Amino acid sequence: MLLRWNDLAFAGFEPRFPAFDALRVLRSFDQDVSAQRVWQGPRLQLRDLGEELRVSADLPGYKQEDLQISYEQQTLVIRGQRGEAAPEGYAAQRQERTERTSFARKIALPVRVAADQIVASLKDGVLELRMPKLAADRPRTIAVNAS
Amino acid sequence: MTATATATETSKPVNTLAQPVAPARELRPQVDIYENAEEVLLLADVPGASKESVNVRVEEGVLSLEALRTLANGQTVRYQRAFHVPESVDPEKISAELKHGVLHLHLRKAEKAKPRTIAISAN
């Protein structure tokens, strides 16, 4: 079965965030077919691992210096801009990728995270952000006292 | 198709795998195609794909590219797309590199297909 690009976006979603950016995802699927509208940003995935949140984004062709990431008031902002991808001395025959040279995405996180402990890594065109939750927002087990 | 025409996409996915593979999600990577006198350059977005998994082949005028990616949840994603390639491309001289999640395919043109300048000697 052939699955479409955005089917992937739902793959790793925890049931806790079913409504996360669903509309955005559907709209960007639309763009994938028509390719005529403006690209709104990369596929994003938010996962809740208990102690930390993880956000990953597919950013093929982007380098470390092309990305700008900030966190403020429980909101994560990822911006990217990469240089013109058209190589010199070549005539372009088809350009699906080069329309995707800049984006800005804002993600409202479901819990607070420790801003100074956010770690970002970029490997093989995939950005991954590890965001430890603030102690107060971590899951805890509540003991039941016998009366 | 003229000799200088660039790669055109086939109307349907071409499955060139000799053996069946485990069920995987399939994705059609976005591509850019460029051309100069020497070669056709195809760039394909395959974020997260491993170098070892990249498989490129030309058979009967069809170029197929494939790459695999393992997601954090263990699921496998298969990037796959196929194109008709012009006769001017030499199937023996295709090179590939993977940089920042982008597959770069250099499809060199056969010697006879390259434009040539012919000097005119004055007599």
Side-chain angles (χ1 to χ4, degrees), chain A residues 8-122:
Chain A
L8 249 191
F10 294 99
F13 274 35
E14 299 294 329
R16 210 175 144 184
F17 313 118
F20 171 71
D21 222 2
L23 271 179
R24 170 69 66 83
V25 168
L26 288 173
R27 277 201 300 271
S28 65
F29 163 68
D30 228 24
Q31 285 147 17
D32 280 345
V33 225
S34 75
Q36 278 167 3
R37 290 175 230 177
V38 180
W39 184 53
Q40 295 195 341
R43 182 185 77 88
L44 288 176
Q45 194 182 62
L46 173 64
R47 281 174 294 151
D48 186 342
L49 302 188
E51 299 285 303
E52 65 175 38
L53 295 180
R54 277 200 200 173
V55 165
S56 60
D58 286 354
L59 294 166
Y62 283 83
K63 302 183 190 79
Q64 202 179 327
E65 60 268 26
D66 299 335
L67 298 171
Q68 200 187 347
I69 303 161
S70 60
Y71 173 78
E72 196 181 1
Q73 300 206 339
Q74 221 170 306
T75 302
L76 182 73
V77 179
I78 307 175
R79 292 173 201 278
Q81 178 140 33
R82 68 175 186 207
E84 187 50 54
E88 227 172 281
Y90 287 81
Q93 304 291 349
R94 181 190 290 238
Q95 290 186 303
E96 297 165 356
R97 297 178 58 257
T98 38
E99 287 162 3
R100 309 184 158 207
T101 49
S102 74
F103 69 90
R105 292 290 302 266
K106 203 179 256 191
I107 307 145
L109 300 180
V111 297
R112 290 170 298 165
V113 299
D116 55 344
Q117 288 171 41
I118 297 177
V119 177
S121 64
L122 184 63

Side-chain angles (χ1 to χ4, degrees), chain B residues 91-104:
Chain B
E92 302 297 318
K93 287 184 186 157
I94 294 178
S95 62
E97 43 186 347
L98 191 57
K99 287 190 286 197
H100 305 295
V102 182
L103 180 65
H104 297 238

Side-chain angles (χ1 to χ4, degrees), chain A residues 117-138:
Chain A
Q117 288 171 41
I118 297 177
V119 177
S121 64
L122 184 63
K123 187 175 179 279
D124 298 332
V126 180
L127 173 73
E128 184 157 272
L129 290 166
R130 303 174 61 149
M131 301 174 288
K133 293 181 188 175
L134 282 190
D137 287 3
R138 291 187 185 172

Side-chain angles (χ1 to χ4, degrees), chain B residues 77-90:
Chain B
V77 170
R78 178 145 52 113
Y79 295 107
Q80 192 181 34
R81 202 160 167 184
F83 301 85
H84 285 300
V85 289
E87 286 172 15
S88 57
V89 165
D90 185 345

